[in-house]
Amino acid sequence: MNFLMQRHSYGIAFIFSGLPTVWIIRALAGAPESQMFSITFMIISICLIIYPPNLSKSIAEVFFPPLADSYIKLAPLLFLIPVFIASIWINRANDFGPIYILFTIAFLIAINTVPYERFIFLPQAFLLIAGLGCFIVMIYTIINGVDLEGQRLGAGGTNSPGQVSFMGGTAINTAVFMINNASKTIGSKFKIYAYASVFVGTTVVMLALSRSTLVSLLLCLILALFNTIYFKSIKKNKKNKFFIKQ
């Protein structure tokens, strides 16, 4: 499958899990500690998501909602646009609030242009982006000899361990999903990468010490165990079921 079919998923994955990697690239490039560097990469990701044949239709639906085939997908935009206008009126110096809101609007418009069948590559894209990001963060940390005693793992000199922890949790969840649900379709090298991502992702989460991510992973584990026990009990009951012939 060529990249043109997969690029939408990779753009979404990079927006949600690629920021720590961007921060390290910024640090290696010696760029100033500015949010514009991250915003530039996010704009590139939005460009990857957009499916050009549907772009004009998606924009028209925002400005004239009756054109939309589903009002549900417009609900977030109808809320965000007034918020964006209000944020411009009360904008303070060096406040990136309006930019973030505008970015969110652009992101939702971009997603609405993509045919739903192209989102089947999302688990693969999230695993590759998040897993690679975890490897990069750990390598950068080891090479720079960062002392983590009394500190939480960050990326590229930033003080944002929450983003790093979220990336690690994403790597763990998508790796387990791919191993359990797509083991027959992925190659042996990709399966090794998935197992390695679980290990490195767990290391990143533990070093970042984000309670929200740890609680989320615990809930995912509980749901997974419940799901496994539930379906095993169904299979066991089917085997023990007696059929009475009439």
Side-chain angles (χ1 to χ4, degrees), residues 22-217:
V22 172
W23 294 334
I24 290 178
I25 293 173
R26 181 180 63 190
L28 293 175
E33 295 289 331
S34 171
Q35 292 176 325
M36 293 307 299
F37 197 88
S38 300
I39 291 172
T40 300
F41 273 86
M42 294 300 102
I43 291 174
I44 294 173
S45 298
I46 286 181
C47 291
L48 285 175
I49 297 172
I50 293 173
Y51 182 65
N54 292 340
L55 180 58
S56 58
K57 178 179 180 294
S58 182
I59 295 175
E61 288 175 349
V62 173
F63 289 100
F64 191 63
L67 292 175
D69 51 5
S70 173
Y71 290 112
I72 295 178
K73 68 180 182 181
L74 290 182
L77 293 171
L78 296 177
F79 168 76
L80 284 169
I81 291 175
V83 173
F84 171 66
I85 296 173
S87 66
I88 293 177
W89 283 103
I90 62 173
N91 185 30
R92 298 183 297 272
N94 300 322
D95 183 11
F96 282 85
I99 294 179
Y100 291 143
I101 298 173
L102 181 62
F103 168 78
T104 306
I105 293 172
F107 173 70
L108 292 173
I109 291 175
I111 283 183
N112 285 334
T113 67
V114 184
Y116 294 139
E117 62 270 14
R118 297 198 176 195
F119 289 139
I120 61 172
F121 303 105
L122 275 175
Q124 170 188 317
F126 269 99
L127 174 56
L128 287 174
I129 296 296
L132 181 61
C134 289
F135 283 108
I136 291 174
V137 167
M138 291 305 302
I139 292 172
Y140 180 84
T141 302
I142 294 171
I143 291 176
N144 287 273
V146 178
D147 183 12
L148 293 175
E149 185 176 354
Q151 299 180 9
R152 297 166 64 185
L153 180 64
T158 61
N159 186 24
S160 187
Q163 284 280 356
V164 176
S165 180
F166 175 80
M167 180 180 67
T170 302
I172 295 170
N173 282 328
T174 51
V176 172
F177 175 84
M178 293 295 290
I179 292 170
N180 289 336
N181 297 281
S183 58
K184 295 182 180 180
T185 58
I186 60 178
S188 58
K189 292 182 179 179
F190 194 86
K191 191 178 294 185
I192 293 173
Y193 176 82
Y195 280 109
S197 295
V198 172
F199 174 76
V200 179
T202 303
T203 304
V204 167
V205 170
M206 297 305 295
L207 292 176
L209 295 174
S210 175
R211 289 187 293 271
S212 59
T213 302
L214 290 172
V215 171
S216 299
L217 287 174

Side-chain angles (χ1 to χ4, degrees), residues 237-245:
N237 290 333
K238 284 184 177 179
K239 289 181 180 179
N240 295 332
K241 187 175 181 181
F242 292 95
F243 294 94
I244 302 174
K245 294 182 178 180

